[in-house]
């Protein structure tokens, strides 16, 4: 069965237009996601360009060749910009429009404008570059684990690969003189590939935006809004998992000394800054595998997986001394300190029981004069 390339172009344009409209409608519902606007504009431009190409020989070549192809190349540039926006990078509109502007300039040169091979090679190269660039941007962001990221990168890479293959194919088997460009089998293939790309990109790009929103919601639900560390529930869950994976673990409970007095004297803004400063300091000094969480108010907890009692005590002492040295030049009278309770996990002990032992040690540290460390089982450290 043979399909008329012009008909395929119209179908491809209609599908791309619907996809662009879908992106724009989604952007209206989520205006804080500009990536949807980029992708929507790209598909709408692609639909306009495809319509112009389908009207070849029915409208002036200035529109169906020069302008239509420029619009299509601009659409690929916007797809690349949209991917950069999704990855929180500058969209760089100038680079996105460079391919289309280069096309317009070259079309002013008679030798280029009269050579269908040169036009195909240039347009294919630009489209491949934008698709390849978008693929690279998606891949660079793989540290953010999104289920549809690999699918999106694959779709963009395959689409770019098609344009790369088209370049040597055109040079080895140039279009026959005198035949309408729409009669080339490559046009039918291009229409089919573009149609599949529009549909696949709609699913994958929408899925990426949805997956990121869900991920951010999960992070927000498990993160303390002020300090950025885990909240109580998230810390308890992570600590329980870590205790199951490691035989040795130590739990450190922190309580910032006389914190209410800091709030009363300097205000809650300074008090919040002290909390944030403590977490920043702890995150810097603690090992990467350590789990840090805010239990509430000025109380924090840290689970150190796979450490001995002596190492846990050394880590706690480093934190205590460093925090006590915190100075704010604008508030020379401000003094801060922290009391710490330590409990070492034992085989079979539940997290809540470990918390109770660490809490008792913290209570002892505060009763002992504050700015000190108390260990739930001192004998374990002497033995170590």
């Amino acid at each position: 069965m043979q399909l008329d390339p012009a008909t395929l172009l119209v179908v491809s344009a209609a599908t791309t237009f619907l996809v662009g409209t879908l992106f724009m409608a989604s952007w209206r519902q989520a205006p804080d996601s500009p990536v949807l606007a980029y992708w929507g504009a790209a598909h709408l431009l692609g639909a306009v360009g495809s319509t112009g190409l389908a009207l070849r020989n029915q409208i002036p070549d200035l529109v169906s060749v020069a302008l239509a192809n420029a619009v299509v190349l601009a659409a690929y540039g916007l797809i690349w910009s949209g991917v950069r926006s999704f990855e929180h990078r500058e969209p760089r509109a100038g680079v996105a429009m460079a391919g289309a502007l280069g096309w317009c300039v070259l079309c002013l040169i008679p030798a280029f404008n009269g050579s269908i091979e040169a036009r195909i090679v240039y347009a294919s190269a630009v489209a491949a570059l934008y698709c390849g660039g978008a693929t690279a941007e998606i891949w660079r962001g793989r540290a953010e684990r999104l289920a549809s990221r690999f699918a999106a990168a694959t779709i963009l890479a395959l689409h770019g690969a098609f344009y790369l293959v088209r370049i040597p194919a055109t040079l080895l088997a140039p279009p026959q003189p005198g035949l309408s460009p729409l009669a080339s089998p490559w046009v039918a293939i291009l229409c089919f590939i573009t149609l599949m790309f529009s549909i696949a990109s709609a699913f994958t790009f929408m899925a990426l935006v949805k997956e990121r929103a869900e991920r951010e919601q999960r992070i927000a639900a498990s993160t303390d809004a002020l300090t950025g560390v885990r909240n109580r529930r998230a810390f308890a869950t992570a600590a329980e998992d870590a205790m199951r994976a490691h035989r040795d673990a130590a739990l450190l409970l922190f309580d910032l000394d006389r914190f209410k007095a800091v709030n009363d004297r300097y205000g809650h803004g300074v008090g919040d800054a002290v909390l944030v400063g403590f977490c920043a300091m702890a995150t810097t000094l603690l090992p990467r595998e350590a789990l840090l969480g805010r239990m509430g108010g000025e109380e924090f907890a840290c689970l150190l997986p796979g450490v001995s009692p002596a190492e846990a005590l050394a880590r706690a002492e480093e934190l205590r001394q460093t925090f006590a040295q915190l100075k704010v030049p604008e508030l020379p009278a401000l003094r801060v300190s922290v009391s710490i309770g330590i409990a070492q996990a034992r085989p079979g002990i539940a997290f809540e029981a470990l918390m109770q032992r660490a809490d008792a040690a913290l209570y002892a540290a505060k009763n002992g004069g504050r700015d000190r460390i108390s260990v739930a089982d001192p004998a374990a450290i002497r033995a170590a």
Side-chain angles (χ1 to χ4, degrees), residues 82-273:
V83 172
R84 284 184 61 88
S85 174
F86 179 76
E87 299 298 340
H88 305 298
R89 300 187 184 97
E90 183 185 357
R92 302 179 68 179
V95 177
M97 295 297 106
L101 291 175
W103 170 270
C104 292
V105 171
L106 288 173
C107 283
L108 298 176
I109 302 174
F112 177 85
N113 193 46
S115 171
I116 187 171
E117 293 92 342
R119 297 201 306 267
I120 290 175
V121 169
Y122 177 84
S124 298
V126 171
L129 282 173
Y130 282 131
C131 288
T135 302
E137 295 290 348
I138 289 282
W139 187 247
R140 281 177 60 188
R142 64 188 181 278
E144 180 188 23
R145 297 183 179 277
L146 301 176
S148 298
R149 183 177 292 278
F150 179 76
T154 301
I155 290 169
L156 287 165
L158 289 176
H159 198 57
F162 164 77
Y163 279 109
L164 285 179
V165 170
R166 192 184 181 203
I167 294 174
T170 299
L171 296 176
L172 293 174
Q176 298 180 12
L179 291 180
S180 170
L182 293 182
S184 170
W186 276 100
V187 175
I189 297 173
L190 176 61
C191 292
F192 180 77
I193 294 293
T194 302
L195 184 64
M196 293 297 100
F197 175 74
S198 296
I199 296 173
S201 64
F203 281 104
T204 54
F205 291 172
M206 286 288 191
L208 281 173
V209 174
K210 179 182 177 182
E211 289 162 11
R212 169 172 286 171
E214 293 174 346
R215 182 176 182 271
E216 290 176 348
Q217 289 174 1
R218 288 195 301 270
I219 292 175
S222 62
T223 303
D224 177 64
L226 175 63
T227 61
V229 301
R230 293 177 177 84
N231 58 26
R232 186 184 188 98
R233 177 183 297 179
F235 174 78
T237 301
E240 289 172 351
D241 292 340
M243 287 175 63
R244 282 192 290 267
H246 297 84
R247 289 188 56 188
D248 296 323
L251 179 64
L252 282 59
L253 282 186
F254 307 93
D255 191 284
L256 306 194
D257 298 327
R258 300 181 179 87
F259 184 73
K260 184 178 183 301
V262 173
N263 274 335
D264 292 343
R265 181 175 181 181
Y266 299 103
H268 289 280
V270 173
D272 289 348

Side-chain angles (χ1 to χ4, degrees), residues 29-54:
Q29 296 176 358
D32 56 338
S33 297
V35 59
L36 295 172
Y38 278 104
W39 289 337
H43 282 78
L44 291 177
L45 281 178
V48 172
S50 296
T51 301
L53 294 174

Side-chain angles (χ1 to χ4, degrees), residues 369-382:
R370 297 185 176 90
D371 190 20
R372 64 189 60 213
I373 300 170
S374 179
V375 183
D377 187 7
I381 294 183
R382 289 195 295 269

